[in-house]
Amino acid sequence: PQPLREKLISNKEEAYLSQKLAQLVYDVPYIKFKLKDAVWTKDRLNNLADVFTSFGFKSLVSRINKQFGLTPSKALTTLVEADPNQQQLF
């Protein structure tokens, strides 16, 4: 169709960037991985919940607590105050 062709021509760079971003990369270097290092310990889960809390992902923190039987602490359920200099999106 002509309108699609015109859009691709006028947005050529964006089209190539989209194609590049969508491609799967298979030639990655070998990564040493030990399964025992991938075990979720209580400390690791709490660290993950802290990160999610800092970004305001309350539902993910709740799901972690529920899924792994953790007791939510104040640190895991209290959101970090927003920077007053930060601009609003909406």
Side-chain angles (χ1 to χ4, degrees):
Q2 194 64 15
L4 178 60
R5 179 182 167 89
E6 291 171 7
K7 286 181 184 180
L8 286 173
I9 290 171
S10 64
N11 297 306
K12 182 179 177 179
E13 289 181 31
E14 288 84 358
Y16 279 119
L17 177 60
S18 293
Q19 180 185 27
K20 182 178 180 180
L21 292 173
Q23 284 181 325
L24 297 177
V25 178
Y26 294 102
D27 58 344
V28 294
Y30 176 74
I31 298 171
K32 292 182 180 180
F33 176 77
K34 295 179 184 173
L35 188 57
K36 69 177 184 168
D37 293 338
V39 174
W40 285 103
T41 64
K42 189 172 184 176
D43 287 338
R44 286 185 176 183
L45 289 168
N46 283 326
N47 289 340
L48 178 63
D50 286 340
V51 170
F52 285 165
T53 299
S54 71
F55 287 111
F57 300 144
K58 293 192 301 185
S59 64
L60 288 175
V61 174
S62 297
R63 287 166 56 185
I64 289 171
N65 291 335
K66 184 178 178 182
Q67 178 75 26
F68 296 98
L70 300 177
T71 305
S73 67
K74 184 176 181 184
L76 299 181
T77 57
T78 304
L79 290 176
V80 174
E81 291 294 319
D83 182 352
N85 298 322
Q86 184 177 359
Q87 296 182 357
Q88 297 291 325
L89 289 175
F90 303 101

